[in-house]
């Protein structure tokens, strides 16, 4: 008998001692254990009534017993027969994602465009640039950990890659791991499922430099925080360099364990600010040089003046201007294209889209309550709008699946992905759905 089933038999044996004979025979013995999925233990009840009764009467007891035998489990999911298929489908998709992200981790490739040379230095990022360069030249020596924080699109990821590229070039013997917080978390939970946590630990604790991007997403993830704490200590103790990037200062990351907050604050915390006009202009000039674009000079000034809070958008606008000029058969981009490009950007900025706004529009359109939209109801009248809403959010906003999951009552990112993909698939064949979605997009973008 395999390990999983023999442990399950132990669970049954213990439960027999804890509940009445009737309860045991009706609700416990009839359960079919499905699998351990991350920190969740999944079982199938024989009927929906049995599921309800088990949850009402014995949820805590059985969870406690399961925890005794299955390390890392802190939740029990009881499915009823009608839910089994959908659940297994979700898991399959999740595993594919994890597989992909793990491969990425192992490669640890750095974007070759994200170098120190290509990073334009100005008042807004001077100190963080020096700190990053210092760390790249003396890993584990002066600033450990280096914690970089600042708004989106201001160059955090660029700097992490620059450090990676620099070390790869100058210090070939050092092992570097670069992961996003999401990848770290996925790799960890996958290792729990596959029962190879030790391999996971070895991967991350053997490196000389560990970089975790977007570490703010560790908020609320108790298990991952615990694991990361130990990884951190292990590396730190041997003077291995740790570099973290976040959109917030550690003190503003909510639901972060105090001991991690204090570890994060033990080295250098450095912010990256919005660039001033000169820096924005220099970034555009650099980009023109790198990409070999042909652009009239006043265009760059015009863009630098008008887009002032996000370098990603600034670059996006330049790309847009150049694409427009190519479409129009010109060999140099002019103010005409620049004004056109900015019109789009201006509308997308004033729209000020949020998750709430998309939810409100979907609720109005389908006449459902917001509490139902984010709640647990499983009837089609609710599930359809819910999935459509999730799809729209993924289409219209650039936010992580995990964050969307949190907005939908703490759903898992795999559930969000499943909903998104399902609707994306359905609109290919279902014309009325496509029309509804187009309507919704117009409504979302129009009513301010
Ligand atoms: P973040 O991780 O802070 O959200 P990124 O590092 O992804 O931002 O930067 C967004 C884009 O802006 C990238 O293409 C990056 O190369 C570019 N960028 C940011 N800062 C600079 C800079 N100082 N010089 C040149 N390009 C920059
Ligand atoms: Mg980034």
């Amino acid at each position: 008998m395999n390990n999983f089933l023999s442990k399950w038999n132990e669970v049954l044996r213990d439960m027999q001692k804890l509940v009445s004979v009737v309860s045991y025979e009706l609700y416990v013995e009839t359960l079919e254990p499905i699998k351990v999925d991350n920190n969740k233990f999944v079982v199938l009840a024989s009927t929906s009534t049995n599921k309800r009764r088990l949850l009402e009467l014995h949820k805590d007891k059985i969870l406690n017993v399961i925890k005794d035998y299955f390390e890392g489990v802190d939740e029990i999911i009881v499915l009823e027969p009608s839910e089994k298929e959908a659940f297994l489908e979700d898991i399959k998709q999740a595993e594919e994602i994890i597989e992909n992200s793990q491969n990425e981790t192992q490669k640890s490739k750095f974007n070759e465009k994200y170098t120190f040379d290509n990073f334009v230095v100005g008042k807004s990022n001077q100190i963080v640039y020096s700190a990053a360069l210092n760390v790249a030249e003396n890993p584990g020596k002066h600033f450990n950990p280096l914690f970089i924080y600042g708004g989106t699109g201001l160059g955090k990821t660029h700097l992490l890659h620059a450090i990676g590229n620099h070390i790869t070039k100058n210090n070939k013997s050092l092992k570097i791991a670069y992961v996003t917080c999401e990848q770290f978390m996925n790799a960890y939970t996958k290792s729990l499922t596959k029962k190879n946590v030790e391999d996971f630990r070895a991967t991350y604790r053997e490196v000389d430099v560990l970089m975790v991007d977007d570490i703010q997403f560790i908020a609320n993830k108790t298990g991952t925080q615990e694991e990361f704490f130990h990884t951190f200590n292990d590396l730190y103790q041997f003077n291995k360099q740790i570099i973290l990037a976040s959109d917030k200062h550690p003190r503003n990351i909510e639901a972060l364990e105090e001991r991690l907050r204090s570890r994060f604050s033990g080295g250098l915390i450095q912010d990256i600010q919005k660039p001033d006009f000169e820096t924005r202009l220099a970034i555009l000039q650099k980009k023109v040089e790198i990409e070999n674009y042909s652009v009239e000079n006043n265009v760059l000034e015009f863009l630098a003046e008008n887009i002032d809070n996000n370098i990603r958008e600034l670059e996006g606008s330049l790309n847009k201007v150049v694409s427009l000029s190519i479409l129009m058969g010109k060999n140099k981009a002019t103010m005409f294209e620049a004004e056109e490009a900015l019109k789009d950007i201006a509308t997308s900025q004033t729209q000020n889209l949020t998750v709430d706004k998309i939810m409100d529009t979907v609720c109005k359109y389908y006449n459902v309550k917001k509490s139902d939209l984010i709640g647990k109801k499983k009837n089609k009248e609710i599930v359809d709008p819910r999935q459509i809403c999730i799809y729209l959010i993924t289409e219209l906003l650039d936010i992580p699946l995990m964050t969307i999951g949190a907005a939908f009552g703490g759903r898992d990112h795999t559930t969000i992905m499943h909903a998104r993909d399902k609707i994306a698939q359905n609109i290919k064949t279902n014309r009325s759905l496509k029309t509804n979605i187009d309507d919704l997009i117009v409504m979302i973008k129009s009513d301010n």
Side-chain angles (χ1 to χ4, degrees), residues 325-372:
S325 74
I326 293 171
L327 281 176
M328 298 177 72
K330 299 186 178 172
N331 50 18
K332 201 165 199 158
T334 67
M335 278 302 288
F336 177 79
E337 290 83 54
E339 275 168 6
E340 279 302 301
L342 233 60
K343 268 188 213 155
D344 277 6
I345 290 165
T347 44
S348 82
Q349 277 178 343
T350 53
Q351 264 154 14
N352 201 6
L353 289 184
T354 61
V355 169
D356 268 343
K357 182 158 173 211
I358 298 176
M359 284 180 171
D360 290 343
T361 313
V362 171
C363 285
K364 229 191 296 167
Y365 191 84
Y366 287 105
N367 198 18
V368 298
K369 284 198 271 184
K370 195 156 171 184
S371 55
D372 286 338

Side-chain angles (χ1 to χ4, degrees), residues 82-258:
S82 65
E83 294 165 334
K84 189 178 168 186
E85 286 306 308
F87 182 83
L88 292 179
E89 182 58 28
D90 264 6
I91 295 209
K92 209 174 96 207
Q93 295 206 6
E95 283 181 348
E96 280 164 17
I97 282 229
I98 291 163
E99 209 76 61
N100 294 342
S101 67
Q102 269 225 328
N103 293 343
E104 279 167 35
T105 319
Q106 277 150 16
K107 274 187 266 152
S108 261
K109 281 266 155 57
F110 298 104
N111 183 333
E112 59 191 31
K113 288 190 181 160
Y114 290 177
T115 59
F116 285 118
D117 280 347
N118 289 346
F119 192 86
V120 175
V121 184
K123 267 201 222 101
S124 59
N125 56 26
Q126 214 166 355
I127 305 182
V128 75
Y129 171 87
S130 306
L133 188 58
N134 186 303
V135 160
E137 287 182 341
N138 315 285
K141 294 270 161 50
H142 304 140
F143 306 123
N144 205 13
L146 173 62
F147 191 104
I148 299 175
Y149 76 96
T152 179
L154 296 183
K156 301 180 295 293
T157 299
H158 185 133
L159 281 176
L160 297 194
H161 281 253
I163 296 173
N165 280 319
H166 189 93
I167 299 180
T168 311
K169 194 163 141 218
N170 299 306
N171 217 334
K172 292 200 173 55
S173 62
L174 293 186
K175 272 199 201 161
I176 319 168
Y178 167 91
V179 273
T180 62
C181 184
E182 198 155 5
Q183 288 168 339
F184 182 85
M185 197 149 66
N186 285 339
Y188 172 55
T189 46
K190 183 184 173 192
S191 76
L192 289 176
T193 317
K194 298 223 158 160
K195 307 216 178 340
N196 57 4
V197 180
E198 287 312 317
D199 294 347
F200 166 85
R201 290 193 176 134
T203 315
Y204 287 96
R205 293 184 194 180
E206 268 171 11
V207 300
D208 301 293
V209 180
L210 174 64
M211 298 193 246
V212 185
D213 205 348
D214 291 320
I215 188 77
Q216 73 273 7
F217 291 125
I218 205 168
N220 282 314
K221 305 287 183 283
T222 330
T224 308
Q225 289 193 18
E226 163 94 31
E227 186 60 30
F228 188 66
F229 179 74
H230 295 300
T231 307
F232 187 106
N233 287 344
D234 249 37
L235 292 173
Y236 186 78
Q237 180 187 340
F238 292 104
N239 294 324
K240 307 297 188 190
Q241 180 70 49
I242 299 152
I243 305 156
L244 306 166
S246 160
D247 67 352
K248 305 180 185 71
H249 191 286
R251 80 169 95 83
N252 297 329
I253 303 179
E254 284 161 33
L256 179 67
E257 278 184 43
E258 208 41 55

Side-chain angles (χ1 to χ4, degrees), residues 416-429:
I416 302 304
M417 195 170 54
H418 177 66
R420 175 197 65 193
D421 294 348
K422 186 173 151 200
I423 301 297
Q425 195 58 34
N426 288 355
I427 48 180
K428 289 187 195 152
T429 50

Side-chain angles (χ1 to χ4, degrees), residues 41 49 115 121 125 226 233 246 265 284-285 288 341 383 446:
F41 194 91
T49 316
T115 59
V121 184
N125 56 26
E226 163 94 31
N233 287 344
S246 160
S265 313
L284 289 173
Q285 285 162 341
V288 165
V383 172
S446 64

Side-chain angles (χ1 to χ4, degrees), residues 12-30:
L12 291 182
R13 206 164 305 142
D14 285 5
M15 282 302 287
Q16 224 166 349
K17 293 180 207 139
L18 293 175
V19 302
S20 72
V21 177
V22 178
S23 249
Y24 178 76
E25 288 181 354
L26 277 177
Y27 311 127
V28 183
E29 200 179 22
T30 50

Side-chain angles (χ1 to χ4, degrees), residues 253-358:
I253 303 179
E254 284 161 33
L256 179 67
E257 278 184 43
E258 208 41 55
R259 55 182 186 167
L260 268 184
R261 206 186 302 274
S262 99
R263 288 292 183 285
F264 291 175
S265 313
L268 177 68
I269 301 182
Q270 188 55 55
D271 68 334
I272 186 163
Q273 298 275 346
K274 288 181 186 167
D276 54 20
F277 172 77
E278 286 76 17
T279 313
R280 297 199 297 272
L281 185 59
I283 289 172
L284 289 173
Q285 285 162 341
K286 185 97 200 170
K287 175 101 180 163
V288 165
E289 179 197 315
I290 296 173
E291 303 289 342
N292 217 348
Y293 284 157
S294 182
V295 181
E296 282 181 2
N297 237 334
N298 52 354
V299 167
L300 300 186
E301 277 172 31
F302 176 75
L303 296 178
E305 244 160 43
N306 282 287
I307 300 171
D308 59 3
N309 62 352
N310 181 326
I311 298 170
R312 190 174 295 120
E313 260 175 31
L314 189 66
E315 288 186 347
S317 69
L318 176 63
N319 292 337
K320 175 119 200 194
V321 170
V322 173
S323 316
L324 283 175
S325 74
I326 293 171
L327 281 176
M328 298 177 72
K330 299 186 178 172
N331 50 18
K332 201 165 199 158
T334 67
M335 278 302 288
F336 177 79
E337 290 83 54
E339 275 168 6
E340 279 302 301
L342 233 60
K343 268 188 213 155
D344 277 6
I345 290 165
T347 44
S348 82
Q349 277 178 343
T350 53
Q351 264 154 14
N352 201 6
L353 289 184
T354 61
V355 169
D356 268 343
K357 182 158 173 211
I358 298 176

